[in-house]
């Protein structure tokens, strides 16, 4: 069996599956249950000055018959005194010494406050620290969370303060509520962070109650923006992980977060540069035992490919992720419809006719007279839309058309034109 253990910036873990800092890691009881179920690590719910939460505080987005496709919350950090959390963390680490326990921290913008909390949590034997610079609601209004995470200079300064006293690896949790996450990731790296984690939740309003005309969720007739997560945010998170993984100015390990629901999602994040992953919404939806399928799926995936260690796939697809200007303009694919599996629902024809390039015809069969769908390949631009809307897996295939032209990117074309040459498309 493949070795699932990871090393994230010096933090050892029996597998790459961690619970993110969130409601599932609010107590020793929960984290210990998670470790018993098989989770390799947990990031404790953010420590700081205890706050008072509101009710109600969660909302779910259902889409296409799937429950909790997206998830929104207006919950804040721990509502328990620091001493209570530290006692439970100490008990948890003593019971599960081989599992990874990370302390998530958030305090006001003061050097002394950071020094004090770091010393207290490290005294009970945590494996690392995660600085929460990503929370988009509630704490941000108090000058913490994403209020810091949107300013590279503040990130760098506070990381430097932490590194002055920290004895364990420091992970910086970044907010996606920013124009370009690479700049804050670089700031964390310059400040001395050992790793970064991303993404925290996205600013959102989940919905409006059409009967009461109130935000969802609402508290006594008023609502507020919250943090959006769940499967719906995975593409956003995966892009940000890949962007930081391929940026040489970042250059530190990544803990991937955002919409990870199964082992397949995990493999995608690992291939795009994450060393491990953190999960929240999926655990809240299905319970801690989902990690069993995640472990089995990842193990089977690696074993079937003869890969000895999960660390061997970290970042293996990063080199394939580039900018549009480097893509080959002479590469061509077209759609082909397999009649034997086509159910003639005509969704591909409608989509192409109304919103794409009008290259799918409905023609009668010469023998039977039965209508069938045919792609005019000379007019097909290979946009993939027909295969995306088709309800039958594999009924429409995108096929590469060999080209006698050399690969040519937009950047190469512009450079050749600027030099007085010519480029054939």
């Amino acid at each position: 069996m493949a070795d699932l253990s990871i090393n994230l910036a010096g933090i050892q873990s029996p597998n790459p599956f961690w619970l993110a800092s969130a409601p599932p890691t609010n107590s020793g009881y929960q984290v210990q249950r998670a470790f018993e179920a098989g989770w390799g690590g947990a990031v404790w719910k953010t420590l700081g000055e205890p706050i008072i939460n509101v009710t109600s505080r969660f909302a779910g987005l259902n889409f296409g018959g799937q429950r909790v496709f997206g998830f929104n919350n207006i919950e804040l950090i721990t509502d328990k005194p620091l001493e209570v959390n530290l006692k439970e963390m100490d008990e948890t680490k003593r019971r599960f010494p081989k599992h990874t326990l990370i302390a998530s921290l958030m305090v006001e913008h003061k050097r002394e406050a950071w020094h004090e909390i770091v010393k207290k949590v490290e005294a009970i034997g945590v494996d690392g620290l995660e600085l929460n610079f990503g929370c988009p609601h509630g704490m941000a209004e108090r000058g913490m969370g994403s209020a810091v995470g949107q300013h590279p200079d503040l990130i760098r300064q506070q990381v430097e303060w932490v590194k002055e006293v920290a004895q364990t690896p420091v992970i910086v949790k970044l907010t996606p509520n920013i124009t370009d996450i690479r700049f804050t990731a670089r700031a964390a790296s310059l400040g001395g962070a050992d790793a970064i984690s991303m993404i925290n939740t996205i600013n959102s309003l989940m919905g409006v109650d059409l009967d009461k005309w109130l935000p969802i969720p609402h508290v006594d007739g008023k609502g507020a923006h919250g943090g959006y997560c769940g499967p719906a945010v995975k593409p956003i998170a995966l892009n940000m992980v890949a962007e930081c993984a391929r940026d040489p100015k970042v250059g530190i390990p990544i803990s991937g977060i955002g919409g990870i629901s199964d082992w397949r999602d995990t493999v995608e994040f690992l291939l795009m540069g994450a060393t491990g992953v953190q999960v929240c919404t999926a655990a809240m939806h299905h319970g801690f035992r989902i990690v069993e399928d995640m472990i089995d799926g990842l193990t089977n995936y690696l074993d079937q490919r003869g890969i000895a260690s999960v660390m061997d796939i970290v970042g293996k697809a990063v080199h394939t992720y580039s900018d549009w200007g480097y893509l080959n303009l002479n590469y061509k694919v077209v759609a082909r419809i397999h009649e034997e599996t086509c159910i003639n629902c005509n969704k591909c024809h409608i989509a192409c006719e109304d919103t794409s390039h009008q290259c799918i015809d409905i023609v009668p069969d010469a023998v039977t007279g039965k209508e069938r769908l045919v792609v005019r390949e000379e007019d097909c631009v290979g946009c993939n839309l027909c295969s995306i809307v088709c309800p039958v897996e594999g009924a429409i295939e995108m096929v590469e058309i060999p080209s006698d032209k050399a690969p040519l990117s937009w950047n190469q074309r512009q450079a050749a034109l600027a030099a007085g040459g010519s480029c054939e498309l």
Side-chain angles (χ1 to χ4, degrees):
M1 293 177 62
D3 179 7
L4 296 191
S5 65
I6 64 167
N7 183 320
L8 175 74
I11 301 172
Q12 302 286 341
S13 180
N15 64 53
F17 302 110
W18 295 1
L19 286 173
S21 173
T25 60
N26 187 49
S27 68
Y29 170 78
Q30 292 168 280
V31 173
Q32 290 173 36
R33 278 176 53 83
F35 287 166
E36 288 171 349
W39 293 89
V43 185
W44 205 272
K45 189 171 181 182
T46 303
L47 309 177
E49 289 296 323
I51 52 83
I52 300 174
N53 272 302
V54 298
T55 61
S56 60
R57 62 185 77 160
F58 297 154
L61 175 67
N62 304 326
F63 183 79
Q66 179 178 340
R67 300 285 292 179
V68 198
F69 184 71
F71 189 81
N72 170 282
N73 85 91
I74 56 174
E75 185 169 279
L76 305 184
I77 66 172
T78 184
D79 54 8
K80 298 186 296 184
L82 180 61
E83 292 70 24
V84 174
N85 278 306
L86 293 180
K87 180 177 181 294
E88 294 183 11
M89 294 170 73
D90 181 51
E91 292 172 351
T92 301
K93 190 60 186 176
R94 290 178 185 276
R95 279 198 62 195
F96 297 89
K98 295 183 179 179
H99 288 68
T100 305
L101 189 63
I102 306 296
S104 175
L105 308 177
M106 182 191 294
V107 296
E108 57 186 335
H109 183 67
K110 292 182 179 179
R111 183 183 182 192
E112 296 76 16
W114 280 110
H115 284 190
E116 181 181 1
I117 197 167
V118 167
K119 291 176 182 177
K120 286 183 177 179
V121 298
E122 287 193 332
I124 58 105
V126 296
D127 298 293
L129 311 172
E130 184 179 82
L131 314 186
N132 185 347
F133 295 148
C135 185
H137 55 274
M139 305 309 295
E141 287 86 333
R142 310 177 197 196
M144 294 177 275
S146 64
V148 174
Q150 292 169 337
H151 297 277
D153 55 335
L154 294 181
I155 289 177
R156 180 174 180 177
Q157 182 181 55
Q158 295 192 40
V159 173
E160 288 175 343
W161 289 345
V162 170
K163 290 294 289 184
E164 287 172 352
V165 296
Q167 301 298 310
T168 59
V170 174
I171 306 168
V172 173
K173 190 174 187 179
L174 299 175
T175 176
N177 301 302
I178 193 167
T179 304
D180 191 336
I181 201 168
R182 292 176 300 174
F183 289 94
T184 50
R186 292 169 186 171
S189 182
L190 287 171
D194 299 285
I196 49 178
S197 59
M198 65 180 77
I199 58 174
N200 208 310
T201 53
I202 302 170
N203 265 330
S204 62
L205 170 60
M206 186 58 88
V208 180
D209 187 315
L210 299 186
D211 295 320
K212 300 178 180 178
W213 294 5
L214 292 173
I216 302 174
H218 61 85
V219 180
D220 194 23
K222 290 188 180 297
H225 72 276
Y228 189 55
C229 54
V233 311
K234 175 192 159 189
I236 300 168
L238 193 58
N239 166 66
M240 291 187 175
V241 166
E243 289 290 357
C244 289
R246 71 187 183 101
D247 187 336
K249 293 182 180 179
V250 176
I252 52 179
I254 300 171
S255 179
I257 314 171
I260 298 159
S261 302
D262 57 29
W263 68 267
R264 293 176 179 83
D265 297 333
T266 301
V267 172
E268 292 181 42
F269 272 79
L270 295 177
L271 290 172
M272 277 299 172
T275 299
V277 296
Q278 298 184 33
V279 179
C280 172
T281 305
M284 295 179 73
H285 190 187
H286 302 292
F288 289 149
R289 296 189 72 88
I290 63 166
V291 77
E292 296 175 359
D293 289 338
M294 299 173 89
I295 290 172
D296 288 344
L298 179 58
T299 300
N300 292 336
Y301 176 85
L302 297 173
D303 287 346
Q304 289 170 7
R305 285 158 179 76
I307 300 172
S309 168
V310 69
M311 293 291 291
D312 292 339
I313 69 171
V314 173
K316 292 301 183 183
V318 173
H319 71 282
T320 68
Y321 197 59
S322 186
D323 296 321
W324 190 94
Y326 293 103
L327 303 181
N328 180 11
L329 298 173
N330 287 330
Y331 178 79
K332 183 175 176 61
V333 295
V334 298
R336 287 188 184 161
I337 300 172
H338 298 297
E339 291 185 44
E340 65 275 13
T341 52
C342 174
I343 61 174
N344 292 101
C345 66
N346 289 353
K347 287 189 70 70
C348 61
H349 170 75
I350 294 168
C352 186
E353 197 72 12
D354 289 355
T355 65
S356 192
H357 286 76
Q358 302 80 50
C359 65
I360 299 180
D361 298 324
I362 301 177
V363 299
D365 186 273
V367 177
T368 66
K370 181 181 177 181
E371 290 185 339
R372 60 192 182 94
L373 297 162
V374 178
V375 177
R376 295 194 317 278
E377 294 188 3
E378 64 274 17
D379 295 324
C380 178
V381 300
C383 70
N384 302 339
L385 178 60
C386 59
S387 65
I388 292 171
V389 302
C390 178
V392 180
E393 190 71 31
I396 300 178
E397 182 182 5
M398 303 306 298
V399 180
E400 180 181 354
I401 302 299
S403 174
D404 57 0
K405 299 176 182 177
L408 178 69
S409 71
W410 173 260
N411 292 342
Q412 290 172 324
R413 182 176 184 271
Q414 294 306 102
L417 293 174
S422 61
C423 288
E424 181 183 1
L425 286 175

